[in-house]
Amino acid sequence: MAPEREGGRERQPVGATAAGRSRGPRLDQPRAPRRRFLPEWDPDAFGRLSERIARFIGTGRFLVWMTVVIILWVLWNVSVPKELRFDEYPFIFLTLALSLQASYAAPLILLAQNRQDDRDRVNLEQDRKQNERSIADTEYLTREIAALRIGLGEVATRDWIRSELQDMVKELEGRQNGHKGHQGSFPVMRAEHPPGRDADDR
């Protein structure tokens, strides 16, 4: 089909499938990663490695091995012939190695401490939230128990019903004893007043 002409100009197709529109970066796809000249590393993996090194440095095993290495270093550079010595007195190379080890050990220990502080902070936050939930649950249970106690104050308890029944039994026994006493007095009255006409009756 030939493109439609309006006023001497060709009408271009419009919409998402327009052929004449310049194609830019698509928004439905992630950008391609940029090239970096510096090496990339995983901070979490590096942190775990630093923690392992810091834990090893803080153990007695590391101190023992470092002491053994220093003693062997000194003995070798003192007792062997000069041709085989690689670090004569005053052991400048040993001092440089120990300084290099210390300069790397300090940042690694600090990094491990920072990671431990982060974990402690997260644990403290979780403990604080747990304590808040426990306090809220305790307050709720306290209110419920208080409401139950108030409700039970208006409900007849077993002791109260028992005492009321005992009072009713005593009252019934008293009435029954009084009724029996009245029945015993009637024959006496009948004996004093025998049946027949009264003397006053005319």
Side-chain angles (χ1 to χ4, degrees), residues 39-188:
E40 297 182 2
W41 63 85
D42 185 8
D44 195 22
F46 186 74
R48 290 195 299 268
L49 178 62
S50 65
E51 285 182 345
R52 291 179 182 176
I53 295 174
R55 288 194 185 97
F56 177 69
I57 290 175
T59 58
R61 182 183 298 177
F62 172 77
L63 294 176
V64 170
W65 280 109
M66 188 173 68
T67 304
V68 169
V69 168
I70 291 173
I71 291 173
L72 292 177
W73 188 299
V74 172
L75 290 177
W76 179 271
N77 289 288
V78 170
S79 60
V80 298
K82 289 186 177 181
E83 294 81 9
L84 298 177
R85 297 177 187 177
F86 58 87
D87 187 21
E88 295 183 359
Y89 184 83
F91 311 114
I92 298 175
F93 187 35
L94 177 61
T95 305
L96 179 62
L98 293 177
S99 300
L100 186 64
Q101 181 263 332
S103 64
Y104 273 97
L108 290 174
I109 293 172
L110 290 176
L111 180 59
Q113 288 180 351
N114 291 335
R115 285 173 59 86
Q116 185 63 38
D117 291 340
D118 293 338
R119 282 195 297 268
D120 294 340
R121 191 178 302 109
V122 172
N123 292 332
L124 288 175
E125 184 68 20
Q126 291 178 353
D127 292 341
R128 186 181 64 82
K129 291 180 179 179
Q130 183 66 32
N131 291 334
E132 289 179 355
R133 286 194 295 267
S134 300
I135 292 172
D137 294 340
T138 304
E139 291 178 352
Y140 172 76
L141 291 175
T142 304
R143 289 193 298 268
E144 290 295 319
I145 291 172
L148 288 174
R149 292 183 64 181
I150 293 172
L152 286 176
E154 300 175 357
V155 175
T157 60
R158 183 178 61 184
D159 296 335
W160 183 80
I161 294 174
R162 183 179 297 171
S163 63
E164 290 294 322
L165 290 175
Q166 289 176 356
D167 293 340
M168 291 178 65
V169 168
K170 290 179 180 178
E171 185 178 353
L172 289 174
E173 289 178 352
R175 289 182 181 180
Q176 189 176 5
N177 292 334
H179 185 62
K180 288 181 179 179
H182 288 299
Q183 286 180 353
S185 63
F186 290 151
V188 175

Side-chain angles (χ1 to χ4, degrees), residues 10-23:
E10 294 183 356
R11 184 178 178 183
Q12 298 293 336
V14 295
T17 59
R21 184 173 297 177
S22 61
R23 293 182 178 271

